[in-house]
Amino acid sequence: MSSVSVEPNKLFLNLAFTAYLGVLMIGPSIDQRLLTRLECVLGDLERTIGRWRVVWGPGIYRVFRNGIPDNTMYIAENSDRAELTISIAGTNPLSLYSWLAQDFSVQRLYRWPHGQPPPGAQITEGTLRGMRALQQMVPRQERRDGSPFPGGNQTMHEFLRGWVIAQRATSQGPLRITVTGHSLGGALSPVIALWLEDTRAVWDPGHAAEVQCRAFAGPTPGNREFARVITERMGTNLFRIANDKDVVPRAWNIDALAEIKALYAPSLPRSTTWDRIVGLTIYNAVGTDFQQIALPAQTTILPGVIDPGIKHLFPLNFARYVAQATYQHTAAYFDLLECAMHDDIEAAIGWVNRVAQQMIMMGQMPGMGWMLQKDP
């Protein structure tokens, strides 16, 4: 089959969301089952996004042995050109570790630990935890049938070093590595891209490969100075895509968070319970100075559209806000980019949204239970 030409945002949106395919899995062999699922879905998507095959991973980070995946990442290679994509999953809604220790852990900041950044360039504790979880991943050696597991027993650095050496020996064209992710993955993909830039001496001392990042719907990974540093370092290789009706990319800038209260008005009447939750979110960011990453020219703000059908599905206005927010954060990106969604991705995202909605509605989000009173 000849090479497929596809708009980059559509290509990497699909690859970012494939990392969610393991959210329903649990048990000792998640990585093997997820690998099989990824191979099937990437095969189905070949006519849409071209030929991609898993060459490293998937790597799974779990706080509890045999529990749900808290962080997931894999690397795919394009079969028609010297290009890799590193795909990082967003939050697994069943993972309290992801909610508490990564998503909402923003009060404590740490200096960027790689390269020679200015002292003021800091990332959140949650970003640091997520980055460390990804950096320590080492795929297993073999599949259950004894065949090699992609990238088995190799860290990401070790795999990339071998890939660059092999490509330089066989390919005359440019080498490209794109890091992508959605939501939590949209916050972690830029820091992994910057980490690769700052550690080139380890895996690409000849600077043969171009590193890009295409981050979807991510919150801010660090403070204003870190945003300046990563934007300067990555320059035109750092792309950010956000839906202007999505609440997540507004975190954790306080001014942007305040706009969430009336984000869906007047299409939906204001909800006092929604306003309380937004207030708690703002309180969590008090005393910080966060700013989004990427140059304006490299930032795509999609004009979100309220889904009018959602308000007829729920009796309480607060429930309508929650359902609208989860739609705008996930499936809306496919709608706005006019990108077909694979059935398996649609099923995984539908499950993610339902669980997230139930956790919020039942007051099980960390610290929110006291605010979920009856909505007028």
Side-chain angles (χ1 to χ4, degrees), residues 106-271:
V106 300
Q107 275 289 329
R108 186 173 297 174
L109 300 175
Y110 292 87
R111 183 179 179 181
W112 175 248
H114 303 288
Q116 295 180 329
Q122 297 177 312
I123 57 174
T124 69
E125 184 174 42
T127 299
L128 182 63
R129 287 194 180 111
M131 181 178 70
R132 294 301 192 211
L134 300 175
Q135 290 171 335
Q136 72 178 27
M137 289 179 176
V138 179
R140 68 170 69 220
Q141 180 175 350
E142 296 179 339
R143 300 180 189 234
R144 281 172 289 190
D145 62 5
S147 61
F149 201 85
N153 287 348
Q154 291 182 296
T155 65
M156 183 161 36
H157 270 161
E158 290 169 339
F159 170 79
L160 292 177
R161 181 169 61 244
W163 181 81
V164 168
I165 292 172
Q167 290 298 323
R168 291 182 67 184
T170 60
S171 175
Q172 300 301 316
L175 310 183
R176 176 177 293 173
I177 300 170
T178 301
V179 191
T180 191
H182 168 266
S183 191
L184 174 61
L188 294 177
S189 53
V191 300
I192 290 297
L194 182 60
W195 168 62
L196 291 177
E197 284 286 2
D198 284 347
T199 58
R200 273 191 186 270
V202 176
W203 64 275
D204 183 24
H207 288 253
E210 177 186 45
V211 176
Q212 291 191 351
C213 174
R214 202 164 290 260
F216 295 89
T220 56
N223 65 2
R224 185 178 300 272
E225 181 65 11
F226 177 76
R228 185 191 66 79
V229 168
I230 191 172
T231 300
E232 286 185 358
R233 291 278 285 113
M234 296 295 297
T236 56
N237 283 331
L238 176 60
F239 299 86
R240 185 174 76 89
I241 302 92
N243 168 11
D244 68 2
K245 292 293 189 290
D246 183 1
V247 303
V248 175
R250 296 172 180 272
W252 291 93
N253 180 278
I254 291 178
D255 291 337
L257 287 170
E259 296 171 355
I260 295 175
K261 292 183 178 181
L263 189 59
Y264 304 138
S267 298
L268 294 179
R270 292 281 294 274
S271 162

